Amino acid sequence: MLTFLGTSAAVPTKRRNHIGIALKYDGDVFLFDCGENIQRQMLSTKVSPMRIKSIFITHLHGDHILGLPGLLQSLAFMGRKNKLKIYGPEGIEDIVRMSLNFGYFVREYDIEVITVKTDNPKIIEKTEKYEIIAYPTKHSIESYGYIFKEIKKPRLNPEKAKEFGVRKEDFKKLKNGIPVKSIYGLTVYPYQVLLPPKKGMCLAYSGDTLPIEDFGRYLKNLGCDFLIHEATFDDNLKDEAIETMHSTIGDAVNIAKIAGVKVLFLTHISARYDKEYFNIYKSNAEKYSNEKFKIFIPEDLESYNLKDFL
Amino acid sequence: MLTFLGTSAAVPTKRRNHIGIALKYDGDVFLFDCGENIQRQMLSTKVSPMRIKSIFITHLHGDHILGLPGLLQSLAFMGRKNKLKIYGPEGIEDIVRMSLNFGYFVREYDIEVITVKTDNPKIIEKTEKYEIIAYPTKHSIESYGYIFKEIKKPRLNPEKAKEFGVRKEDFKKLKNGIPVKSIYGLTVYPYQVLLPPKKGMCLAYSGDTLPIEDFGRYLKNLGCDFLIHEATFDDNLKDEAIETMHSTIGDAVNIAKIAGVKVLFLTHISARYDKEYFNIYKSNAEKYSNEKFKIFIPEDLESYNLKDFL
């Protein structure tokens, strides 16, 4: 489940909160960016702040970090005990340190701050079930996009397993790559009975950036189906986008096309499109409705069940 | 015009934002406390962040200060040029410094930080039209209540002025205490034609505090008509209020009674009263409906025209 907690750019509007995107996966919440008031936005969704495992900050502009102090404090007030990981570019340690000095409160949970520093895509977290990759992007300050990639285990071919005389209780071992003895007393190796794994869910988030075609190609290689790409401006403001190192709707569409995703979410929407001006933005996006992928412009607090699109 | 931008205690709820109260007076906005997201709350009211002249922080707990970084940044993005004053207890300079380092932005307006340090009520700002008094309160950390007191000029008695032969164009001089020449060539002194000034508007805000009867008596002497008093808990939680150095509804009512105000606003409401539990709080307050003053429990974004009550 993917929830857009905030979708604005630098300045929040009545309609849109500072940015923050929550991915719920296997009971954990992964939070991407944390603009002001993200903790309170969560209260209107099914995203539990206590379930946040890691926070991934794309860059240290205020609209992406101002919600950290309040969130970290409220987690303390709520009695959190579990460690929280916070990833971000150089300077993130200072931001977390300042966050913890913004008011007085007693904290019983640990915070591990991981400074991301890489010129190339890099796996920054990996478990049996998923890996998270930081991708260096192009903004006015050091910034990273993040990619969440589910790792699926190989499936067992039940017919093959039967043929080889594998006991049911040994299925799990084979899936984990461990050879077993069959009912015939012979050794059965995983490659003999396993099918290739199903494709895992893969979601990429650009953060603030100029469009990067290589990023699209990288996602294509990963087989990523979902892209959240910033599109601060409509296509008429391409000059402004270049100057401020942001993307337009057309830029985001182009990256999604290169990546071959199934769904593109446009976000980080300039305050100028508040109220009736949103029509300009929306109709610009509708120009691309013939693309092979779906395009959404999420409102704040909207959730998407990604499985619906696979 | 008095606007409640947020009315929650330590942790915000779906219903209530962190605390922040705006007084619009003579085109200026005076902001009392600035919890997280106060800048965005303003967007749903008639309070303009660009019109804020001074911010008064009662104490340095997160729920009273977390909105400062976002507000100060957005004022910069909006191109503010006018100086902003920020008052608060010792440590406020660090908070403002950290606020300005929370992200990267260019600021063209000056910020004057004034550390309040006093054991007795003290006038901290005074113009021809109003004065603002800091009143030391009793909380777990250094804290102040603030009192806004309008200064009214003496009124002219038009019949007396006519009797003395004062020219209309000289009325203003007399009101400002300057003697003038009459049409008869005689000197007219202000005391000869002036009436005592009308009572000015006076509004007090307690911040977080145990109830202080002396505070009530002080407001009585000032002739204060409006009191915003914290009432974090209902009367059944008096022990919890004492332990955490807060007030109950009954405490706030008692101070209002001593002060002899016309209107009491209860605020800084514990998160426990969210949803249906608010009825407990509300019916507790209703027990005091026979008092001589009006009692309000403002919701977020509610405005009150104080003149309506005078």
Side-chain angles (χ1 to χ4, degrees), chain B residues 80-118:
Chain B
R80 181 177 176 122
K81 303 267 190 273
N82 294 339
K83 190 172 84 171
L84 178 70
K85 286 183 174 185
I86 305 178
Y87 295 85
E90 203 159 354
I92 186 69
E93 286 210 43
D94 285 342
I95 292 296
V96 173
R97 189 184 39 74
M98 287 197 294
S99 295
L100 299 176
N101 285 315
F102 226 91
Y104 303 85
F105 59 101
V106 178
R107 175 172 55 94
E108 292 182 70
Y109 66 96
D110 282 335
I111 297 176
E112 185 187 351
V113 182
I114 302 110
T115 301
V116 178
K117 185 90 196 151
T118 178

mmCIF file of all heavy atoms in Angstrom, chain B residues 80-118:
data_model
loop_
_atom_site.group_PDB
_atom_site.id
_atom_site.type_symbol
_atom_site.label_atom_id
_atom_site.label_comp_id
_atom_site.label_asym_id
_atom_site.label_seq_id
_atom_site.Cartn_x
_atom_site.Cartn_y
_atom_site.Cartn_z
ATOM 1 N N ARG B 80 9.427 38.121 1.970
ATOM 2 C CA ARG B 80 9.268 39.092 3.050
ATOM 3 C C ARG B 80 10.502 39.970 3.174
ATOM 4 O O ARG B 80 11.634 39.490 3.023
ATOM 5 C CB ARG B 80 9.028 38.354 4.379
ATOM 6 C CG ARG B 80 8.834 39.317 5.563
ATOM 7 C CD ARG B 80 8.539 38.591 6.850
ATOM 8 N NE ARG B 80 8.455 39.516 7.953
ATOM 9 C CZ ARG B 80 7.381 39.654 8.755
ATOM 10 N NH1 ARG B 80 6.320 38.920 8.554
ATOM 11 N NH2 ARG B 80 7.377 40.526 9.742
ATOM 12 N N LYS B 81 10.262 41.241 3.457
ATOM 13 C CA LYS B 81 11.373 42.184 3.668
ATOM 14 C C LYS B 81 11.334 42.766 5.081
ATOM 15 O O LYS B 81 12.359 43.169 5.613
ATOM 16 C CB LYS B 81 11.284 43.355 2.669
ATOM 17 C CG LYS B 81 11.269 42.941 1.195
ATOM 18 C CD LYS B 81 12.656 42.943 0.600
ATOM 19 C CE LYS B 81 12.620 42.784 -0.911
ATOM 20 N NZ LYS B 81 12.586 41.388 -1.336
ATOM 21 N N ASN B 82 10.150 42.841 5.678
ATOM 22 C CA ASN B 82 10.001 43.482 6.993
ATOM 23 C C ASN B 82 10.600 42.641 8.102
ATOM 24 O O ASN B 82 10.481 41.418 8.106
ATOM 25 C CB ASN B 82 8.512 43.681 7.328
ATOM 26 C CG ASN B 82 7.868 44.669 6.389
ATOM 27 O OD1 ASN B 82 8.561 45.475 5.765
ATOM 28 N ND2 ASN B 82 6.565 44.588 6.275
ATOM 29 N N LYS B 83 11.162 43.340 9.066
ATOM 30 C CA LYS B 83 11.739 42.661 10.224
ATOM 31 C C LYS B 83 10.676 41.882 10.987
ATOM 32 O O LYS B 83 9.515 42.288 11.056
ATOM 33 C CB LYS B 83 12.375 43.699 11.150
ATOM 34 C CG LYS B 83 13.198 43.077 12.255
ATOM 35 C CD LYS B 83 13.972 44.118 13.043
ATOM 36 C CE LYS B 83 13.100 44.726 14.125
ATOM 37 N NZ LYS B 83 13.902 45.587 15.036
ATOM 38 N N LEU B 84 11.089 40.771 11.541
ATOM 39 C CA LEU B 84 10.209 39.965 12.386
ATOM 40 C C LEU B 84 10.843 39.887 13.767
ATOM 41 O O LEU B 84 12.051 39.664 13.896
ATOM 42 C CB LEU B 84 10.091 38.559 11.789
ATOM 43 C CG LEU B 84 9.253 37.544 12.560
ATOM 44 C CD1 LEU B 84 7.766 37.898 12.494
ATOM 45 C CD2 LEU B 84 9.473 36.141 12.014
ATOM 46 N N LYS B 85 10.018 40.081 14.791
ATOM 47 C CA LYS B 85 10.525 39.950 16.161
ATOM 48 C C LYS B 85 10.052 38.631 16.751
ATOM 49 O O LYS B 85 8.895 38.248 16.572
ATOM 50 C CB LYS B 85 9.999 41.088 17.033
ATOM 51 C CG LYS B 85 10.649 42.436 16.776
ATOM 52 C CD LYS B 85 10.069 43.449 17.765
ATOM 53 C CE LYS B 85 10.775 44.776 17.664
ATOM 54 N NZ LYS B 85 10.282 45.691 18.714
ATOM 55 N N ILE B 86 10.945 37.950 17.446
ATOM 56 C CA ILE B 86 10.569 36.694 18.115
ATOM 57 C C ILE B 86 10.980 36.777 19.586
ATOM 58 O O ILE B 86 12.163 36.955 19.897
ATOM 59 C CB ILE B 86 11.227 35.473 17.443
ATOM 60 C CG1 ILE B 86 10.888 35.438 15.945
ATOM 61 C CG2 ILE B 86 10.780 34.183 18.121
ATOM 62 C CD1 ILE B 86 11.535 34.297 15.180
ATOM 63 N N TYR B 87 9.992 36.674 20.455
ATOM 64 C CA TYR B 87 10.223 36.691 21.903
ATOM 65 C C TYR B 87 10.100 35.274 22.448
ATOM 66 O O TYR B 87 9.250 34.503 22.005
ATOM 67 C CB TYR B 87 9.150 37.540 22.608
ATOM 68 C CG TYR B 87 9.162 39.008 22.258
ATOM 69 C CD1 TYR B 87 8.494 39.466 21.125
ATOM 70 C CD2 TYR B 87 9.816 39.920 23.062
ATOM 71 C CE1 TYR B 87 8.496 40.821 20.808
ATOM 72 C CE2 TYR B 87 9.814 41.280 22.748
ATOM 73 C CZ TYR B 87 9.159 41.724 21.627
ATOM 74 O OH TYR B 87 9.147 43.052 21.312
ATOM 75 N N GLY B 88 10.908 34.980 23.461
ATOM 76 C CA GLY B 88 10.776 33.683 24.109
ATOM 77 C C GLY B 88 11.758 33.577 25.259
ATOM 78 O O GLY B 88 12.658 34.410 25.391
ATOM 79 N N PRO B 89 11.614 32.526 26.079
ATOM 80 C CA PRO B 89 12.523 32.349 27.212
ATOM 81 C C PRO B 89 13.933 31.979 26.746
ATOM 82 O O PRO B 89 14.149 31.704 25.561
ATOM 83 C CB PRO B 89 11.922 31.175 27.994
ATOM 84 C CG PRO B 89 10.672 30.809 27.317
ATOM 85 C CD PRO B 89 10.633 31.439 25.983
ATOM 86 N N GLU B 90 14.845 31.942 27.708
ATOM 87 C CA GLU B 90 16.238 31.592 27.397
ATOM 88 C C GLU B 90 16.287 30.318 26.554
ATOM 89 O O GLU B 90 15.617 29.327 26.872
ATOM 90 C CB GLU B 90 17.020 31.394 28.702
ATOM 91 C CG GLU B 90 18.485 31.581 28.472
ATOM 92 C CD GLU B 90 19.253 31.904 29.759
ATOM 93 O OE1 GLU B 90 18.632 32.091 30.816
ATOM 94 O OE2 GLU B 90 20.481 31.959 29.670
ATOM 95 N N GLY B 91 17.061 30.347 25.494
ATOM 96 C CA GLY B 91 17.150 29.211 24.585
ATOM 97 C C GLY B 91 16.473 29.534 23.254
ATOM 98 O O GLY B 91 16.702 28.858 22.254
ATOM 99 N N ILE B 92 15.686 30.601 23.239
ATOM 100 C CA ILE B 92 14.953 30.934 22.008
ATOM 101 C C ILE B 92 15.915 31.281 20.863
ATOM 102 O O ILE B 92 15.649 30.975 19.698
ATOM 103 C CB ILE B 92 13.924 32.078 22.249
ATOM 104 C CG1 ILE B 92 13.057 32.325 21.018
ATOM 105 C CG2 ILE B 92 14.592 33.369 22.696
ATOM 106 C CD1 ILE B 92 12.095 31.233 20.702
ATOM 107 N N GLU B 93 17.081 31.846 21.229
ATOM 108 C CA GLU B 93 18.061 32.174 20.174
ATOM 109 C C GLU B 93 18.550 30.911 19.484
ATOM 110 O O GLU B 93 18.703 30.881 18.262
ATOM 111 C CB GLU B 93 19.252 32.929 20.775
ATOM 112 C CG GLU B 93 18.904 34.365 21.129
ATOM 113 C CD GLU B 93 20.122 35.279 21.001
ATOM 114 O OE1 GLU B 93 20.880 35.151 20.025
ATOM 115 O OE2 GLU B 93 20.301 36.126 21.902
ATOM 116 N N ASP B 94 18.798 29.856 20.272
ATOM 117 C CA ASP B 94 19.239 28.577 19.688
ATOM 118 C C ASP B 94 18.153 28.007 18.776
ATOM 119 O O ASP B 94 18.443 27.468 17.712
ATOM 120 C CB ASP B 94 19.524 27.545 20.799
ATOM 121 C CG ASP B 94 20.836 27.836 21.508
ATOM 122 O OD1 ASP B 94 21.651 28.582 20.941
ATOM 123 O OD2 ASP B 94 21.023 27.327 22.631
ATOM 124 N N ILE B 95 16.920 28.105 19.241
ATOM 125 C CA ILE B 95 15.815 27.557 18.451
ATOM 126 C C ILE B 95 15.709 28.294 17.114
ATOM 127 O O ILE B 95 15.552 27.666 16.057
ATOM 128 C CB ILE B 95 14.486 27.663 19.243
ATOM 129 C CG1 ILE B 95 14.510 26.728 20.464
ATOM 130 C CG2 ILE B 95 13.282 27.375 18.359
ATOM 131 C CD1 ILE B 95 14.600 25.240 20.148
ATOM 132 N N VAL B 96 15.848 29.608 17.147
ATOM 133 C CA VAL B 96 15.759 30.376 15.894
ATOM 134 C C VAL B 96 16.958 30.061 14.999
ATOM 135 O O VAL B 96 16.814 29.869 13.794
ATOM 136 C CB VAL B 96 15.641 31.888 16.184
ATOM 137 C CG1 VAL B 96 15.717 32.697 14.891
ATOM 138 C CG2 VAL B 96 14.322 32.180 16.917
ATOM 139 N N ARG B 97 18.131 29.948 15.619
ATOM 140 C CA ARG B 97 19.332 29.618 14.841
ATOM 141 C C ARG B 97 19.164 28.259 14.159
ATOM 142 O O ARG B 97 19.430 28.097 12.975
ATOM 143 C CB ARG B 97 20.557 29.605 15.770
ATOM 144 C CG ARG B 97 21.901 29.477 15.059
ATOM 145 C CD ARG B 97 23.067 29.366 16.045
ATOM 146 N NE ARG B 97 22.787 28.552 17.217
ATOM 147 C CZ ARG B 97 22.707 27.216 17.217
ATOM 148 N NH1 ARG B 97 22.903 26.532 16.115
ATOM 149 N NH2 ARG B 97 22.432 26.557 18.337
ATOM 150 N N MET B 98 18.682 27.272 14.927
ATOM 151 C CA MET B 98 18.470 25.939 14.337
ATOM 152 C C MET B 98 17.399 26.007 13.250
ATOM 153 O O MET B 98 17.510 25.363 12.213
ATOM 154 C CB MET B 98 18.075 24.934 15.417
ATOM 155 C CG MET B 98 19.232 24.547 16.329
ATOM 156 S SD MET B 98 18.918 23.024 17.276
ATOM 157 C CE MET B 98 17.581 23.507 18.345
ATOM 158 N N SER B 99 16.371 26.789 13.491
ATOM 159 C CA SER B 99 15.294 26.920 12.499
ATOM 160 C C SER B 99 15.850 27.400 11.163
ATOM 161 O O SER B 99 15.423 26.942 10.103
ATOM 162 C CB SER B 99 14.243 27.925 12.983
ATOM 163 O OG SER B 99 13.602 27.452 14.145
ATOM 164 N N LEU B 100 16.802 28.330 11.240
ATOM 165 C CA LEU B 100 17.355 28.913 10.016
ATOM 166 C C LEU B 100 18.345 27.973 9.331
ATOM 167 O O LEU B 100 18.713 28.178 8.178
ATOM 168 C CB LEU B 100 18.003 30.265 10.331
ATOM 169 C CG LEU B 100 17.033 31.315 10.892
ATOM 170 C CD1 LEU B 100 17.779 32.584 11.270
ATOM 171 C CD2 LEU B 100 15.916 31.631 9.893
ATOM 172 N N ASN B 101 18.761 26.926 10.050
ATOM 173 C CA ASN B 101 19.675 25.938 9.469
ATOM 174 C C ASN B 101 18.952 24.659 9.071
ATOM 175 O O ASN B 101 19.593 23.651 8.761
ATOM 176 C CB ASN B 101 20.789 25.603 10.468
ATOM 177 C CG ASN B 101 21.795 26.725 10.548
ATOM 178 O OD1 ASN B 101 22.222 27.257 9.524
ATOM 179 N ND2 ASN B 101 22.152 27.117 11.758
ATOM 180 N N PHE B 102 17.647 24.699 9.108
ATOM 181 C CA PHE B 102 16.859 23.502 8.803
ATOM 182 C C PHE B 102 16.452 23.551 7.338
ATOM 183 O O PHE B 102 15.315 23.874 7.008
ATOM 184 C CB PHE B 102 15.638 23.453 9.719
ATOM 185 C CG PHE B 102 15.413 22.105 10.331
ATOM 186 C CD1 PHE B 102 15.969 21.782 11.566
ATOM 187 C CD2 PHE B 102 14.692 21.144 9.659
ATOM 188 C CE1 PHE B 102 15.781 20.535 12.123
ATOM 189 C CE2 PHE B 102 14.502 19.890 10.208
ATOM 190 C CZ PHE B 102 15.045 19.579 11.448
ATOM 191 N N GLY B 103 17.388 23.201 6.481
ATOM 192 C CA GLY B 103 17.189 23.379 5.042
ATOM 193 C C GLY B 103 18.026 24.559 4.587
ATOM 194 O O GLY B 103 18.685 25.220 5.395
ATOM 195 N N TYR B 104 18.036 24.786 3.282
ATOM 196 C CA TYR B 104 18.820 25.885 2.719
ATOM 197 C C TYR B 104 17.852 26.862 2.084
ATOM 198 O O TYR B 104 17.058 26.469 1.248
ATOM 199 C CB TYR B 104 19.775 25.383 1.634
ATOM 200 C CG TYR B 104 20.719 24.310 2.096
ATOM 201 C CD1 TYR B 104 20.331 22.972 2.093
ATOM 202 C CD2 TYR B 104 21.998 24.635 2.529
ATOM 203 C CE1 TYR B 104 21.203 21.976 2.520
ATOM 204 C CE2 TYR B 104 22.868 23.638 2.952
ATOM 205 C CZ TYR B 104 22.461 22.311 2.944
ATOM 206 O OH TYR B 104 23.313 21.338 3.361
ATOM 207 N N PHE B 105 17.928 28.123 2.470
ATOM 208 C CA PHE B 105 17.073 29.115 1.815
ATOM 209 C C PHE B 105 17.667 30.501 1.989
ATOM 210 O O PHE B 105 18.466 30.745 2.894
ATOM 211 C CB PHE B 105 15.644 29.044 2.352
ATOM 212 C CG PHE B 105 15.520 29.276 3.836
ATOM 213 C CD1 PHE B 105 15.107 30.501 4.331
ATOM 214 C CD2 PHE B 105 15.811 28.261 4.732
ATOM 215 C CE1 PHE B 105 14.989 30.713 5.701
ATOM 216 C CE2 PHE B 105 15.701 28.469 6.105
ATOM 217 C CZ PHE B 105 15.293 29.692 6.586
ATOM 218 N N VAL B 106 17.284 31.378 1.088
ATOM 219 C CA VAL B 106 17.782 32.746 1.110
ATOM 220 C C VAL B 106 16.731 33.617 1.790
ATOM 221 O O VAL B 106 15.558 33.590 1.431
ATOM 222 C CB VAL B 106 18.034 33.253 -0.328
ATOM 223 C CG1 VAL B 106 18.514 34.694 -0.297
ATOM 224 C CG2 VAL B 106 19.058 32.356 -1.023
ATOM 225 N N ARG B 107 17.169 34.375 2.764
ATOM 226 C CA ARG B 107 16.241 35.190 3.549
ATOM 227 C C ARG B 107 16.619 36.651 3.395
ATOM 228 O O ARG B 107 17.774 37.022 3.560
ATOM 229 C CB ARG B 107 16.341 34.759 5.016
ATOM 230 C CG ARG B 107 15.530 35.571 5.995
ATOM 231 C CD ARG B 107 15.560 34.911 7.356
ATOM 232 N NE ARG B 107 16.915 34.674 7.834
ATOM 233 C CZ ARG B 107 17.592 35.507 8.630
ATOM 234 N NH1 ARG B 107 17.036 36.635 9.034
ATOM 235 N NH2 ARG B 107 18.818 35.222 9.030
ATOM 236 N N GLU B 108 15.629 37.470 3.081
ATOM 237 C CA GLU B 108 15.910 38.907 2.900
ATOM 238 C C GLU B 108 15.328 39.755 4.020
ATOM 239 O O GLU B 108 15.367 40.971 3.946
ATOM 240 C CB GLU B 108 15.352 39.375 1.550
ATOM 241 C CG GLU B 108 16.081 38.794 0.360
ATOM 242 C CD GLU B 108 15.522 39.341 -0.946
ATOM 243 O OE1 GLU B 108 15.720 40.531 -1.245
ATOM 244 O OE2 GLU B 108 14.845 38.568 -1.649
ATOM 245 N N TYR B 109 14.746 39.111 5.010
ATOM 246 C CA TYR B 109 14.195 39.908 6.121
ATOM 247 C C TYR B 109 14.997 39.649 7.390
ATOM 248 O O TYR B 109 15.584 38.574 7.546
ATOM 249 C CB TYR B 109 12.710 39.588 6.335
ATOM 250 C CG TYR B 109 12.415 38.176 6.810
ATOM 251 C CD1 TYR B 109 12.230 37.904 8.165
ATOM 252 C CD2 TYR B 109 12.319 37.117 5.912
ATOM 253 C CE1 TYR B 109 11.961 36.612 8.606
ATOM 254 C CE2 TYR B 109 12.061 35.826 6.348
ATOM 255 C CZ TYR B 109 11.877 35.583 7.694
ATOM 256 O OH TYR B 109 11.619 34.310 8.128
ATOM 257 N N ASP B 110 15.027 40.641 8.253
ATOM 258 C CA ASP B 110 15.757 40.497 9.519
ATOM 259 C C ASP B 110 14.880 39.854 10.577
ATOM 260 O O ASP B 110 13.658 40.018 10.569
ATOM 261 C CB ASP B 110 16.201 41.873 10.034
ATOM 262 C CG ASP B 110 17.416 42.375 9.283
ATOM 263 O OD1 ASP B 110 18.164 41.533 8.745
ATOM 264 O OD2 ASP B 110 17.588 43.603 9.215
ATOM 265 N N ILE B 111 15.527 39.134 11.460
ATOM 266 C CA ILE B 111 14.832 38.569 12.617
ATOM 267 C C ILE B 111 15.511 39.111 13.862
ATOM 268 O O ILE B 111 16.729 39.002 14.002
ATOM 269 C CB ILE B 111 14.892 37.029 12.601
ATOM 270 C CG1 ILE B 111 14.172 36.489 11.360
ATOM 271 C CG2 ILE B 111 14.267 36.453 13.877
ATOM 272 C CD1 ILE B 111 14.266 34.976 11.204
ATOM 273 N N GLU B 112 14.720 39.719 14.729
ATOM 274 C CA GLU B 112 15.260 40.162 16.011
ATOM 275 C C GLU B 112 14.746 39.209 17.077
ATOM 276 O O GLU B 112 13.533 39.055 17.236
ATOM 277 C CB GLU B 112 14.804 41.598 16.314
ATOM 278 C CG GLU B 112 15.442 42.155 17.574
ATOM 279 C CD GLU B 112 14.871 43.527 17.999
ATOM 280 O OE1 GLU B 112 14.103 44.110 17.221
ATOM 281 O OE2 GLU B 112 15.190 43.974 19.105
ATOM 282 N N VAL B 113 15.662 38.545 17.754
ATOM 283 C CA VAL B 113 15.262 37.608 18.808
ATOM 284 C C VAL B 113 15.412 38.305 20.155
ATOM 285 O O VAL B 113 16.479 38.862 20.445
ATOM 286 C CB VAL B 113 16.115 36.330 18.775
ATOM 287 C CG1 VAL B 113 15.655 35.357 19.851
ATOM 288 C CG2 VAL B 113 16.031 35.668 17.411
ATOM 289 N N ILE B 114 14.372 38.303 20.938
ATOM 290 C CA ILE B 114 14.417 38.955 22.247
ATOM 291 C C ILE B 114 14.192 37.895 23.322
ATOM 292 O O ILE B 114 13.115 37.298 23.407
ATOM 293 C CB ILE B 114 13.353 40.067 22.368
ATOM 294 C CG1 ILE B 114 13.572 41.103 21.268
ATOM 295 C CG2 ILE B 114 13.421 40.723 23.747
ATOM 296 C CD1 ILE B 114 12.534 41.119 20.214
ATOM 297 N N THR B 115 15.234 37.633 24.111
ATOM 298 C CA THR B 115 15.117 36.655 25.187
ATOM 299 C C THR B 115 14.419 37.301 26.377
ATOM 300 O O THR B 115 14.859 38.341 26.874
ATOM 301 C CB THR B 115 16.511 36.145 25.590
ATOM 302 O OG1 THR B 115 17.136 35.563 24.442
ATOM 303 C CG2 THR B 115 16.407 35.092 26.679
ATOM 304 N N VAL B 116 13.325 36.688 26.796
ATOM 305 C CA VAL B 116 12.578 37.201 27.933
ATOM 306 C C VAL B 116 13.154 36.561 29.197
ATOM 307 O O VAL B 116 13.342 35.339 29.257
ATOM 308 C CB VAL B 116 11.075 36.853 27.795
ATOM 309 C CG1 VAL B 116 10.298 37.361 29.009
ATOM 310 C CG2 VAL B 116 10.507 37.441 26.506
ATOM 311 N N LYS B 117 13.483 37.362 30.174
ATOM 312 C CA LYS B 117 14.067 36.838 31.427
ATOM 313 C C LYS B 117 13.606 37.742 32.554
ATOM 314 O O LYS B 117 14.128 38.840 32.740
ATOM 315 C CB LYS B 117 15.606 36.844 31.304
ATOM 316 C CG LYS B 117 16.330 36.218 32.475
ATOM 317 C CD LYS B 117 16.557 34.742 32.256
ATOM 318 C CE LYS B 117 16.909 34.028 33.543
ATOM 319 N NZ LYS B 117 16.479 32.630 33.534
ATOM 320 N N THR B 118 12.607 37.317 33.275
ATOM 321 C CA THR B 118 12.099 38.166 34.351
ATOM 322 C C THR B 118 11.351 37.337 35.387
ATOM 323 O O THR B 118 10.712 36.338 35.055
ATOM 324 C CB THR B 118 11.171 39.276 33.797
ATOM 325 O OG1 THR B 118 10.660 40.046 34.885
ATOM 326 C CG2 THR B 118 9.993 38.708 33.018
#
